[in-house]
């Protein structure tokens, strides 16, 4: 009896040291991913790349890192292994070295492939570690984890301004050291993670209550709608993170270095929004926060292409904060739809939805080449309005 009580208390306890460590690992992983868009202005200049080719680099990175995530997640749901965490970071290390010395466009694509593969391996297992360490504070735990990744992404403009503008493409070689640090952190996390897998297998063997056909249909509908909503959100994010810097340079006449400030503010606001979003979802409900976040972004997105430069910084901050406040909540909502397949659920949201959104990087780049950056930004500004579909999601407790 006492053993069962201890196990129950362990499940409910939030393990903050592990959450912080896996968040640091997430930051380092996504910081290496951020190296790729950070290099875009340099590669465009030195390799004479078109916007479409830039879109293809983003496509390869995001498709590899994202579409493989639900596949890896499904595999790890059946065969979980703590070794995946440091192995994923090792793949990113190889990609960083390749990117630093890539002589032409196709070699860049090959190097980016390794970076994406490392990310695809890391994310599902990282989400499972968070699930085990969360206790009853799933929203907060997921926010701690995701804020690491968002912060890593937000560093891209700083990388451009402080590393790649002065040092060029070879500055990417320094990030091999980042990968080594990440491997050390994840080796420590993997030891704790290994100790939890046996208990998880025992709970899984006890089985889960069967679901009737109507319940399965509700889960499938909710998952499809959830993926579509994140897909639309990621198209808007792709438009801002990949092309807004070029829009600022062309239409506002600012330098590459100055443009990074505006992009950094958008991304760091997203990291802050992610951190606060999880506890708000725990308090007010996951669906309510997703509605407020998706629709709340729309007015700021619609006005952004037409603002004077003096107003751009506050508006991109608010847009980034509101848009990303529901990011962790989407993941937790999916995990609760599929409690027996946490890795696959996390992969669907963080992976597949964003991988499909990577297609947007190519499409948006083509729009910018064929039409104008102004047309591109205007079209992107309408995407958050699709958040109205969030009202169709079932409330918590109404699906299973």
């Amino acid at each position: 009896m006492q053993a069962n009580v201890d196990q129950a208390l362990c499940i409910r306890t939030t393990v903050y040291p592990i959450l912080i460590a896996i968040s640091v690992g997430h930051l380092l992983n996504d910081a290496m991913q951020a190296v790729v868009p950070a290099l875009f202005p340099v590669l465009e200049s030195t390799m004479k790349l078109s916007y479409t080719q830039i879109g293809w680099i983003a496509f390869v990175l995001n498709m590899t890192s994202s579409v493989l995530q639900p596949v890896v997640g499904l595999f790890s749901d059946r065969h979980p292994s703590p070794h995946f965490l440091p192995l994923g970071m090792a793949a990113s290390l190889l990609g960083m070295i390749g990117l630093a010395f890539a002589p032409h466009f196709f070699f860049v694509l090959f190097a980016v492939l390794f970076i994406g593969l490392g990310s695809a391996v890391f994310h599902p297992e990282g989400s499972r570690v968070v699930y085990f360490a969360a206790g009853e504070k799933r929203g907060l735990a997921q926010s701690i984890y995701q804020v690491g990744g968002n912060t890593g992404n937000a560093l891209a403009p700083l990388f451009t301004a402080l590393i790649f503008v002065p040092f060029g493409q070879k500055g990417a070689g320094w990030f091999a050291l980042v990968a080594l640090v990440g491997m050390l952190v994840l080796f420590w996390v993997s030891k704790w993670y290994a100790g939890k897998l046996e208990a998880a297998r025992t709970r899984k063997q006890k089985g889960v209550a069967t679901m009737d056909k109507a319940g399965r249909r509700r889960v499938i509908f909710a998952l499809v709608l959830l993926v579509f909503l994140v897909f639309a959100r990621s198209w808007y994010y792709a438009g801002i993170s990949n092309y807004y810097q070029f829009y600022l340079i062309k239409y506002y006449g600012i330098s590459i270095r100055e443009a990074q400030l505006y992009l950094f503010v958008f991304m760091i606001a997203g990291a802050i929004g992610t951190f606060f979003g999880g506890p708000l979802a725990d308090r007010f409900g996951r669906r309510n926060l997703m509605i407020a976040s998706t629709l709340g972004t729309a007015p700021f997105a619609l006005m952004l292409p037409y603002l004077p430069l003096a107003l751009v910084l506050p508006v991109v901050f608010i847009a980034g904060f509101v848009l990303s406040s529901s990011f962790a909540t989407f993941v937790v909502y999916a995990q609760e739809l599929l409690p027996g397949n946490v890795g696959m659920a996390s992969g669907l949201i963080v992976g597949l939805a964003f991988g499909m959104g990577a297609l947007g990087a190519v499409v948006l780049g083509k729009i910018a080449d064929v039409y104008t950056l102004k047309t591109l930004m205007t079209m992107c500004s309408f995407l958050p309005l699709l958040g109205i579909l969030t009202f169709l999601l079932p409330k918590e407790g109404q699906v299973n």
Side-chain angles (χ1 to χ4, degrees), residues 40 53-65 109 112 355-362:
F40 284 167
Q53 286 176 306
I54 289 171
W56 275 112
I57 296 173
F59 176 81
V60 169
L61 174 67
N62 289 297
M63 287 295 282
T64 307
S65 66
L109 292 180
V112 165
M356 293 297 99
L359 180 61
V362 177

Side-chain angles (χ1 to χ4, degrees), residues 115-133:
I115 298 170
L117 178 63
S119 185
V121 172
F122 168 79
H123 279 99
E125 288 299 280
S127 292
R128 192 193 313 280
V129 169
V130 174
Y131 190 82
F132 288 156

Side-chain angles (χ1 to χ4, degrees), residues 148-188:
N150 283 12
T151 303
N153 279 318
L155 294 175
L158 297 185
F159 294 158
T160 301
L162 301 179
I163 298 176
F164 299 125
V165 168
F167 299 108
Q169 180 182 342
K170 290 186 178 179
W174 289 102
F175 290 89
L177 298 177
V178 173
L180 287 174
V181 173
M183 290 176 68
L184 292 175
V185 172
L186 293 179
F187 268 123
W188 180 74

Side-chain angles (χ1 to χ4, degrees), residues 58-215:
F59 176 81
V60 169
L61 174 67
N62 289 297
M63 287 295 282
T64 307
S65 66
S66 302
V67 171
L68 286 180
Q69 279 194 45
V71 177
V72 173
L74 181 60
F75 178 82
S76 63
D77 283 334
R78 298 175 180 177
H79 310 284
S81 172
H83 302 300
F84 284 149
L85 291 169
L87 284 176
M89 195 66 71
S92 296
L93 185 152
L94 294 176
M96 284 295 106
I97 296 173
L99 188 60
F101 299 100
H104 51 71
F105 171 66
F106 289 104
F107 203 100
V108 170
L109 292 180
F110 185 69
V112 165
L113 194 70
F114 275 90
I115 298 170
L117 178 63
S119 185
V121 172
F122 168 79
H123 279 99
E125 288 299 280
S127 292
R128 192 193 313 280
V129 169
V130 174
Y131 190 82
F132 288 156
E136 294 182 332
K137 299 179 180 179
R138 290 185 180 176
L140 174 62
Q142 193 63 225
S143 288
I144 292 172
Y145 173 61
Q146 296 297 346
V147 78
N150 283 12
T151 303
N153 279 318
L155 294 175
L158 297 185
F159 294 158
T160 301
L162 301 179
I163 298 176
F164 299 125
V165 168
F167 299 108
Q169 180 182 342
K170 290 186 178 179
W174 289 102
F175 290 89
L177 298 177
V178 173
L180 287 174
V181 173
M183 290 176 68
L184 292 175
V185 172
L186 293 179
F187 268 123
W188 180 74
V189 172
S190 67
K191 291 181 181 180
W192 179 89
Y193 178 36
K196 299 297 175 182
L197 290 178
E198 189 57 40
R201 291 190 187 99
T202 301
R203 290 195 298 271
K204 190 172 182 180
Q205 288 172 359
K206 293 180 180 179
V208 180
T210 58
M211 188 184 301
D212 58 24
K213 290 183 178 180

Side-chain angles (χ1 to χ4, degrees), residues 1-15 196 199 203:
M1 175 67 73
Q2 183 61 41
N4 291 335
V5 172
D6 291 342
Q7 185 183 39
L9 289 173
C10 181
I11 294 171
R12 290 198 298 268
T13 301
T14 304
V15 188
K196 299 297 175 182
R203 290 195 298 271

